[in-house]
Amino acid sequence: MGTIFAIGGGEIGKMETLSIDRKIVESSKKNHPKVLFIPTASEESKEYIEVFNNIYGKKLGCKTDVLLLLNKQITSDEIRRKIMSSDIVYVGGGNTRKMMEVWKMHNVDDLLIEAYKNGIIMSGLSAGSICWFKSGMSDSESFEKQGNWSYIRMEGLNLIPAMH
């Protein structure tokens, strides 16, 4: 089994999670671990990817890679290779519902469970934290509706048998 770092919130770009980010990297017990960033929940924001690469790549000395699923043709073999060759998987925040739907279409959900069982470290912030739990309360409707929206319960990967 692997290890999970579930970060409830904070801004990685403002260095609010830097002490946790360091612990994630240290837990790999490698000098330059390979970290895969999955920014599906943020619509694969280029700015978010840049911030991640700056923090985990430049500041923390990791070899970073990104799994893009939305606007790129990617094979199932490439998805599997990226996930299974990582030391650490980091899932970004954003729209949990959209992320989980996209993951199911690409079998990423099952691959992440397999990776966890193979000892790969799982981590993430906000939506990237909810996903490891059986379920969690998500603000996904706020990304989809103007004005009135409600928190919704989202099913996760159930690696942590509890509600986030």
Side-chain angles (χ1 to χ4, degrees):
M1 292 298 188
T3 301
I4 298 173
F5 288 86
I7 308 166
E11 291 288 332
I12 187 173
K14 293 180 181 175
M15 310 285 184
E16 293 174 351
T17 61
L18 188 59
S19 61
I20 298 169
D21 298 321
R22 277 196 181 102
K23 291 285 184 196
I24 293 168
V25 172
E26 288 168 5
S27 72
S28 74
K29 296 181 175 41
K30 294 186 176 183
N31 289 332
H32 302 286
K34 185 173 179 190
V35 182
L36 178 65
F37 181 45
I38 307 179
T40 315
S42 68
E43 299 282 334
E44 300 177 347
S45 161
K46 290 185 186 335
E47 294 82 13
Y48 198 178
I49 294 167
E50 185 177 310
V51 165
F52 180 84
N53 285 332
N54 282 334
I55 301 296
Y56 273 79
K58 293 178 183 166
K59 189 160 198 68
L60 298 176
C62 300
K63 295 176 226 151
T64 61
D65 193 8
V66 180
L67 179 58
L68 300 174
L69 300 168
L70 297 176
N71 299 314
K72 182 181 177 212
Q73 292 290 70
I74 187 166
T75 67
S76 55
D77 287 342
E78 187 178 358
I79 293 169
R80 179 178 191 74
R81 182 191 55 73
K82 282 181 177 264
I83 292 172
M84 296 305 174
S85 68
S86 300
D87 299 307
I88 300 167
V89 170
Y90 186 105
V91 179
N95 186 336
T96 310
R97 176 169 39 207
K98 168 102 179 197
M99 175 183 74
M100 296 304 290
E101 288 170 358
V102 171
W103 284 6
K104 285 185 190 318
M105 288 186 330
H106 292 280
N107 198 38
V108 170
D109 51 345
D110 292 334
L111 290 170
L112 290 173
I113 293 168
E114 182 182 341
Y116 169 75
K117 289 178 180 176
N118 287 336
I120 294 173
I121 297 162
M122 301 292 154
S123 61
L125 183 137
S126 192
S129 177
I130 292 171
C131 67
W132 310 121
F133 288 78
K134 179 178 187 332
S135 65
M137 295 305 291
S138 168
D139 63 353
S140 290
E141 284 193 353
S142 72
F143 295 92
E144 302 161 1
K145 293 181 179 179
Q146 298 290 349
N148 290 338
W149 60 271
S150 299
Y151 285 95
I152 58 173
R153 184 178 176 151
M154 288 297 312
E155 295 299 313
L157 300 178
N158 199 23
L159 296 176
I160 301 171
M163 183 175 201
H164 182 286

